[in-house]
Amino acid sequence: MIDTKTESNKTTSSEQKTEVKKTNPSKRNKTAENSPSFIFYADADDVNMLDTKDDYDYINIEEIDQKKQSMRGFNPEYNNIVDYIVKITRQIWKEKDIGLIYDTYSTSVSIHKGLINSHGINEVISGTLQTLHAFPDRKGLGWSVIWSGDDEKGFFTSHRGRSVATNLGDSLLYGPATGKKVVFRTSADCMILNNKIYEEWLVMDTYHLVQQLGLDPVEIAKKIAKSTKKLSPSISFGFSETAETGLPPKIFEPSSDEFEIGEFMQLVFNRIWARRSFNFVREYYEENAVVHYVCNKDVIGVSEIQGMFISLFASVPNAKVIIERITCNKRGSNSDWDVAVRWRIQGMHEGSGYFGVPSGKPIDISGINHYKVRNEKIAEEWLLFDGMEVLRQIYLPDEDEHEQDGISKNEDGNFTGVS
């Protein structure tokens, strides 16, 4: 079934209370006023979109071309909310200004990485330092920032990028430095007010990183599982929440035959994701659409995209799909949009598929997708979830298993900080 409530992460309600749907009411999408509370709209023309520019090129945009957005409560060097995200990411990671975190993160910030939640700015500082110790030359290339909101009730950003780094330092999780260069994708959703990020959802392709280091993902997952058992909540859902009960996913019906981006994305997740009607890939995607999948794999064309979805859902055949948020940025016409979707798949790992031999364990897959919708169809998609987080859940020790000596009980095995 498809659900738009956040069951395993209750922070969505606070998110919805701290944001308006659109900065300029005169530019609102035709159905924005009547849209569900998890769909938000903004106009790309109100900011300087990143659009795959190198961050150096972005921060050196000619002054005459810089878009000025109302940024009350923010430092004066930030022209708009996209400008804010690009500049602080560059300053923290490329220029190594770790102290900027104190100025741009709330003291009580909440960071969500799958089912692992951390709280407080000290954990952000610690995670950033540990990352830079293991990967001292880490640099991030931003590809896109999708946004909504305003400076009165809060901005939202969904930042998609790629990190390049060399493993030159030892780490508790990955062991001795390998000297290997890695490239991995990240996405981060942030809630921002008065110059500070107060909530962040972080997704990294950690599985791909582990593979490039030459390590065994299963062994690393077992190590993370043992060290995080007390840090992550037990998963309480089971067959009663899946199609096993005989309650099939409801069919979403749009309000009219006209194209509307929020309803279009609901159709994609309802028909393809929740109901597994993969024939709708042909209707909602361009014939030669590209999906940038995990582990740096590009999936091209309708047949390959269908196969990708089949492999993913074969692992959790009766899972339900939860949409946490849809953010839509208009790109000049009502037919062309950049969209960010944060989602969850919850179900029992009872099938052979992307995650290997069935374990019978409940798993919660959380992800962030970015889309380029052109001429009312998906032309390009970036689909990202953390495969290591899923393996961590699969290999969580049973209640009667004890922690192994020498493994920290506080290390969560994931990176924190701006991505």
Side-chain angles (χ1 to χ4, degrees):
M1 65 182 68
I2 190 166
D3 195 344
T4 55
K5 298 177 181 177
T6 307
E7 296 188 8
S8 60
N9 188 340
K10 297 181 180 179
T11 55
T12 299
S13 60
S14 64
E15 172 187 341
Q16 292 169 354
K17 292 177 182 176
T18 55
E19 186 183 4
V20 295
K21 292 183 180 178
K22 194 97 163 85
T23 302
N24 186 343
S26 65
K27 294 182 179 180
R28 275 187 188 152
N29 184 262
K30 61 185 178 181
T31 62
E33 292 286 4
N34 300 319
S35 293
S37 60
F38 60 92
I39 302 180
F40 299 84
Y41 300 83
D43 197 320
D45 287 340
D46 291 345
V47 299
N48 296 105
M49 297 293 278
L50 185 56
D51 288 337
T52 73
K53 296 183 187 72
D54 181 82
D55 54 8
Y56 179 82
D57 295 330
Y58 183 92
I59 65 174
N60 287 286
I61 294 173
E62 294 291 337
E63 186 172 357
I64 192 173
D65 296 322
Q66 293 174 6
K67 304 286 183 68
K68 303 292 185 179
Q69 194 174 36
S70 178
M71 298 288 286
R72 285 171 296 185
F74 287 78
N75 290 355
E77 64 263 34
Y78 305 125
N79 297 315
N80 54 64
I81 195 58
V82 174
D83 195 56
Y84 169 89
I85 287 292
V86 173
K87 286 178 176 176
I88 70 170
T89 302
R90 176 186 173 85
Q91 193 167 338
I92 291 170
W93 289 107
K94 282 192 176 180
E95 300 179 14
K96 308 298 188 288
D97 185 1
I98 310 304
L100 185 65
I101 292 173
Y102 291 112
D103 301 325
T104 54
Y105 276 76
S106 168
T107 303
S108 58
V109 63
S110 294
I111 309 287
H112 312 286
K113 297 170 292 180
L115 293 179
I116 301 289
N117 298 320
S118 62
H119 303 280
I121 197 168
N122 288 334
E123 294 209 26
V124 179
I125 294 287
S126 175
T128 304
L129 288 170
Q130 292 300 314
T131 299
L132 288 175
H133 171 70
F135 301 92
D137 63 344
R138 180 184 175 183
K139 296 180 178 64
L141 174 66
W143 277 340
S144 180
V145 180
I146 296 172
W147 69 281
S148 64
D150 66 8
D151 58 1
E152 292 183 4
K153 296 187 178 181
F155 283 108
F156 166 85
T157 61
S158 186
H159 183 197
R160 168 174 55 83
R162 183 184 66 176
S163 292
V164 180
T166 310
N167 182 210
L168 299 175
D170 299 345
S171 64
L172 181 64
L173 179 60
Y174 303 125
T178 64
K180 294 185 177 181
K181 186 174 182 178
V182 296
V183 180
F184 55 94
R185 291 197 290 132
T186 59
S187 291
D189 282 8
C190 295
M191 298 301 299
I192 311 158
L193 184 65
N194 293 328
N195 207 68
K196 292 184 183 291
I197 296 168
Y198 60 88
E199 194 159 14
E200 181 178 28
W201 294 258
L202 178 62
V203 180
M204 290 179 53
D205 197 352
T206 315
Y207 189 97
H208 190 217
L209 184 154
V210 169
Q211 282 185 319
Q212 293 172 86
L213 291 177
L215 304 175
D216 184 345
V218 170
E219 291 305 312
I220 296 296
K222 290 177 179 178
K223 185 176 180 180
I224 300 172
K226 289 185 174 71
S227 65
T228 58
K229 186 175 180 180
K230 295 182 179 179
L231 294 179
S232 61
S234 59
I235 303 177
S236 59
F237 62 80
F239 288 110
S240 61
E241 281 84 19
T242 71
E244 290 289 329
T245 60
L247 298 175
K250 294 180 180 179
I251 297 178
F252 171 75
E253 296 292 349
S255 61
S256 73
D257 292 333
E258 294 185 34
F259 178 85
E260 196 284 314
I261 187 61
E263 293 190 335
F264 174 75
M265 295 313 304
Q266 289 180 87
L267 278 171
V268 169
F269 274 78
N270 178 252
R271 300 296 194 271
I272 298 174
W273 290 62
R275 294 182 60 83
R276 280 56 128 179
S277 293
F278 303 120
N279 54 309
F280 280 93
V281 169
R282 189 171 301 279
E283 182 173 339
Y284 299 147
Y285 286 76
E286 290 184 353
E287 183 178 354
N288 294 315
V290 178
V291 177
H292 305 285
Y293 199 44
V294 293
C295 294
N296 203 34
K297 181 179 180 180
D298 285 347
V299 181
I300 303 171
V302 169
S303 295
E304 289 190 11
I305 294 171
Q306 288 175 327
M308 174 198 72
F309 280 120
I310 290 170
S311 176
L312 176 60
F313 283 101
S315 292
V316 279
N318 291 304
K320 67 175 178 178
V321 176
I322 299 171
I323 297 176
E324 292 190 342
R325 185 189 172 97
I326 298 174
T327 310
C328 310
N329 284 182
K330 187 177 179 181
R331 300 310 302 260
S333 78
N334 282 324
S335 299
D336 300 327
W337 296 80
D338 290 351
V339 182
V341 180
R342 190 170 70 244
W343 51 267
R344 304 183 91 91
I345 298 172
Q346 294 180 338
M348 307 300 290
H349 180 217
E350 56 178 347
S352 295
Y354 188 81
F355 301 108
V357 178
S359 65
K361 295 277 190 74
I363 58 175
D364 185 308
I365 310 169
S366 57
I368 297 173
N369 291 7
H370 278 202
Y371 298 85
K372 285 190 180 297
V373 179
R374 300 294 182 260
N375 298 315
E376 303 183 3
K377 287 198 172 187
I378 297 169
E380 197 167 8
E381 174 182 354
W382 291 260
L383 194 161
L384 190 63
F385 59 84
D386 189 343
M388 289 303 300
E389 164 61 10
V390 179
L391 288 180
R392 183 194 70 83
Q393 296 170 34
I394 290 173
Y395 289 102
L396 276 171
D398 296 329
E399 292 298 326
D400 57 349
E401 292 186 50
H402 299 288
E403 301 287 349
Q404 289 185 357
D405 293 338
I407 298 178
S408 168
K409 295 181 181 180
N410 296 317
E411 172 64 42
D412 68 9
N414 288 295
F415 299 137
T416 55
V418 180
S419 296

